[in-house]
Amino acid sequence: MALYHENEVVACGLGVLDSGYIGLYDIVTDSRCRKQGFGEQLVLHLLQWGRDNGAEISYLQVIADNRPALGLYAKLGYQEVYRYWYRIKDL
């Protein structure tokens, strides 16, 4: 989904439906447009789309030091359930 303001994309993200869940992925707001409610609007539209298509539960993952995203998700009622990390293996 893309959110437009004055004919420009200001936020975008992906909602994936699976067995009554909607997963939110790659939620991004243009850095010039932050703190204006666009990210919140985008997430709420994705959640409504998910609800309209059978989702009853939503989830997302966010990098632990992404303060702007953490603030937005907390405002929307999300809470941390578990932490994750990436591992790499030298070849």
Side-chain angles (χ1 to χ4, degrees), residues 16-17 19 23 25 29-31 34 36-37 40 70 74-75 77 82:
V16 177
L17 293 171
S19 303
Y25 298 94
T29 301
D30 185 317
S31 60
R34 293 188 179 143
Q36 298 179 48
E40 180 178 2
L70 291 169
K75 177 180 178 182
Y82 67 91

Side-chain angles (χ1 to χ4, degrees), residues 10-31:
V10 294
C12 61
L14 177 66
V16 177
L17 293 171
D18 184 24
S19 303
Y21 290 84
I22 181 169
L24 304 181
Y25 298 94
D26 300 322
I27 306 298
V28 179
T29 301
D30 185 317
S31 60

Side-chain angles (χ1 to χ4, degrees), residues 41-53:
Q41 234 183 343
L42 176 77
V43 171
L44 292 174
H45 279 86
L46 282 166
L47 293 174
Q48 185 61 55
W49 174 81
R51 198 174 298 120
D52 291 347
N53 288 280

